Amino acid sequence: MNLKKLVWRELFERKSQMITIFVGILLGITTVIAIKNITYYSEMAVAREMDSLGANVLVLPKSVTLQDYYSADIHNETIPEEYALRLTMSNLAGVDNLSPKLCVPVELEGRSFTLTGILPKSEFQAKAAWGGAGIFSRPIGCGAIDVGTPEPADKKTLVRNRVIDDLATDEALVGADTASMLGIEEGQSLDLMGQKFSVVAVLPETGTVDDSRVFAHLHTVQEMSGKDAVVSCIEIVGCCKEISAGLVDNVNDLLPEAKVVTVTQVVATQQKVNGMMEKLSMIFVAIIVVIGGAGIANFMFANVYERRREIGTLMSLGAESKLILRIFLLKALLLGFAGGVGGFLIGTTLAVTLGPRLANVPVLPMPMLAVWAIGISVGTTLLASYFPARNAARLDPVTSFKEV
């Protein structure tokens, strides 16, 4: 009788034990795969939502607080525009977009508004020294600035992305409240500080200070206000994971003369959700390894004890200890593999089905989790079965016949 037949008979002669072990492995792997699958897509959805909120990292003058930036709207302190160059030339991971801005007060029809100078991405592209270095040399994705735009982008995306692709020196974008109060529409002209501007877009309402602003080209605003190459702030849209990993500290090291702050509530929410789900999945992994492993080891020890006469018979017929060891370990390997594959399939099905209902996000299968599931399942069963299998391989045939 060869090894294959021995293992096959060992699996199915005691079906109740085999089914109990298999179901335990299956349920554990199913739970972990479902949680990790839903967590992955939930994190992606949260990250997209965070990015849609706009800038989550601000570079400000040392004396300016985050409260000053949002409530006072305009502060007199400035930082060099050259800081934007430093950020662009750096290799900092997690900087998805950045926008240097200069805010100055203006009056329109007897009312006070804020004129904000912004630097379009075309200005970054125009600087040849920036084109192949730093953040622009990285592939597009989390932590890389997309400077290529195959099609002209809608200028209204400024309210979400915090940057626009192109803006002429005589063009302006008007916030929703400003347009409503002044009756301004797209295509009209606007007189700002003695200079004519063409309104190329009225921005959608955001519920922020941007609604009462007028946006124009940064260098035009600098020239009109008589300021040098300075900005009021640099807004950064950072990858949430990189912010959690220390992006703010890295920017602080790069720009020690400035103050780097983050919208802590946004990042804290991201960290809390991600951390909770990650801990939950790790708890289930621990349950599988500890409790599942203990259960498998207990079943294997009981199996060896019950079958010690059969093991002794095989050994008396010439079976070597290595063969006995291989029989039990191969049995554990097959159970672990079957449990891992089954757990992956059922867990993925549950994640795809329940994910949209539980986490309100679309969930897709993740083939990479199959390797992870099989690895944990097989590893746990082999580890738990090793010592029982070794005991079986060390049985003395004579003693086993006497005991039974």
Side-chain angles (χ1 to χ4, degrees), residues 101-386:
K101 296 186 175 181
L102 175 65
C103 298
V104 296
V106 294
E107 283 197 4
L108 294 171
E109 299 183 5
R111 297 181 180 181
S112 297
F113 295 96
T114 302
L115 174 61
T116 300
I118 57 176
L119 193 62
K121 285 196 287 187
S122 60
E123 292 292 323
F124 290 117
Q125 289 175 287
K127 295 182 181 293
W130 297 17
I135 52 182
F136 290 137
S137 64
R138 297 198 298 265
I140 300 305
C142 185
I145 295 182
D146 182 4
V147 296
T149 52
E151 298 180 1
D154 186 352
K155 288 182 170 57
K156 293 182 182 180
T157 58
L158 172 69
V159 299
R160 180 173 60 86
N161 298 331
R162 313 309 297 162
V163 294
I164 59 174
D165 295 308
D166 195 18
L167 187 66
T169 56
D170 61 346
E171 292 180 338
L173 300 98
V174 181
D177 289 347
T178 303
S180 177
M181 286 186 283
L182 300 178
I184 296 175
E185 297 180 355
E186 292 182 19
Q188 294 183 348
S189 61
L190 187 64
D191 193 334
L192 293 169
M193 302 175 71
Q195 186 167 330
K196 289 285 186 181
F197 288 86
S198 173
V199 178
V200 294
V202 174
L203 302 175
E205 187 174 354
T206 64
T208 67
V209 292
D210 286 351
D211 292 340
S212 59
R213 289 182 175 182
V214 178
F215 296 89
H217 197 289
L218 173 63
H219 297 158
T220 302
V221 174
Q222 289 172 341
E223 182 180 350
M224 291 167 55
S225 59
K227 296 183 181 291
D228 295 326
V230 296
V231 295
S232 303
C233 72
I234 300 174
E235 294 183 345
I236 298 175
V237 177
C239 177
C240 291
K241 286 187 177 180
E242 295 296 339
I243 294 175
S244 303
L247 174 61
V248 173
D249 292 336
N250 292 335
V251 176
N252 261 318
D253 293 339
L254 184 67
L255 305 173
E257 307 90 349
K259 175 183 290 185
V260 184
V261 295
T262 182
V263 184
T264 55
Q265 294 86 352
V266 173
V267 179
T269 300
Q270 173 73 13
Q271 289 177 308
K272 186 176 180 179
V273 172
N274 294 352
M276 181 183 66
M277 298 299 287
E278 188 66 26
K279 287 179 181 177
L280 188 60
S281 64
M282 289 300 104
I283 288 173
F284 277 101
V285 171
I287 290 173
I288 292 173
V289 174
V290 177
I291 299 179
I296 293 169
N298 181 60
F299 280 122
M300 285 294 188
F301 272 119
N303 187 232
V304 170
Y305 181 79
E306 292 172 2
R307 305 199 63 181
R308 60 192 185 281
R309 183 173 183 177
E310 298 170 32
I311 295 169
T313 302
L314 282 174
M315 297 182 75
S316 66
L317 292 175
E320 296 181 355
S321 297
K322 291 182 179 179
L323 177 63
I324 304 300
L325 183 66
R326 283 201 296 258
I327 289 173
F328 283 94
L329 290 183
L330 189 54
K331 172 184 175 181
L333 176 65
L334 292 175
L335 284 173
F337 183 81
V341 172
F344 168 75
L345 294 175
I346 298 175
T348 298
T349 302
L350 289 175
V352 172
T353 304
L354 300 179
R357 300 178 186 177
L358 298 178
N360 200 29
V361 294
V363 178
L364 300 175
M366 297 177 61
M368 68 185 73
L369 288 180
V371 177
W372 192 86
I374 293 171
I376 289 182
S377 181
V378 170
T380 302
T381 54
L382 286 177
L383 184 63
S385 302
Y386 176 74

